[in-house]
Every structure is written in C-alpha cells, then in structure tokens.
Amino acid sequence: QVQLVESGGGLVQAGGSLRLSCAASGRRFSQYAMGWFRQAPGKERELVAAIRWSGGNAYYADSVKGRFTISRDNAENTVYLQMNSLKPEDTAVYYCAAEKTTITISTTPDYWGQGTQVTVSS
C-alpha cells in the first residue's frame, strides 16, 4: 500500500513558478514509476509528466515541455514537479500518481494522491 500526499499548489500570476511535492509513504518507493496528472474543470484528466523508478526517461506532455521538470528523490520518497512560465491554461487540480512498473506510468496507475489546486491568473 502506498499513500501519496501532494503539496505546493496555490495561486500564482502568469509567468510565475510553483514547485509541487508528492510525499509517498510505504516501502520500496524506488520500485514505482511516478507521474503528475492534472484535471481542469470540464476536461479529462491528463498526464503532464512522468518519471521512471530510476529517475530517467522523463516524459512530458507537449503543452508543458520546456516549462515543467519532474524529478524524484528516492531516499526521501518524494517526487517533484517544478513548474515555470506558468500560463492560465495550466490552471487545474494536479494529482500525483504511482505505479509499480519498470517502464513509464500508464493512465491507470495503482495509487493516486488527493490532488492540489494550481490557479494561474492572467
């Protein structure tokens, strides 16, 4: 069993930055691929960024490439999402997710966090 707790969301002006954190409980965090999803009102949940258990082969949605960076610290059981040059269209609830796999996370991960709201004002 893995529990995920996100933090770091909030209100920021366009062009600003936020850093989301996701703290995972449970053992063997390093065996899990991790990802950040987001869901805006009236839209489907989408995968924003993902990282393998080893920390390599990061994936980014086209809409965030060059602006967002995903990273993980297996010693601290934490995954991060650094978000720069934020745009109003980045406004959404951001969810951390985990999946026990040696490849990248899928759209149906094993565990979800409760979500953290990110609001970008224009």
Side-chain angles (χ1 to χ4, degrees), residues 37-113:
F37 292 74
R38 69 184 180 188
Q39 187 166 22
K43 295 188 177 181
E44 293 187 353
R45 189 173 298 188
E46 63 170 342
L47 177 61
V48 174
I51 190 167
R52 296 192 183 192
W53 67 273
S54 61
N57 298 99
Y59 160 86
Y60 297 98
D62 288 342
S63 58
V64 306
K65 279 182 182 176
R67 300 189 298 122
F68 290 12
T69 303
I70 189 171
S71 61
R72 66 188 295 162
D73 184 338
N74 287 342
E76 296 294 329
N77 282 13
T78 302
V79 63
Y80 304 97
L81 185 67
Q82 178 66 44
M83 306 186 294
N84 298 329
S85 302
L86 283 161
K87 305 175 181 180
E89 50 264 43
D90 294 319
T91 295
V93 177
Y94 284 71
Y95 298 90
C96 176
E99 185 169 351
K100 193 171 184 180
T101 177
T102 58
I103 58 176
T104 195
I105 200 167
S106 72
T107 56
T108 56
D110 299 322
Y111 302 100
W112 293 95

Side-chain angles (χ1 to χ4, degrees), residues 10-16 18 86-91 118-122:
L11 173 64
V12 64
Q13 289 187 332
L18 283 174
L86 283 161
K87 305 175 181 180
E89 50 264 43
D90 294 319
T91 295
V118 171
T119 303
V120 184
S121 63
S122 57

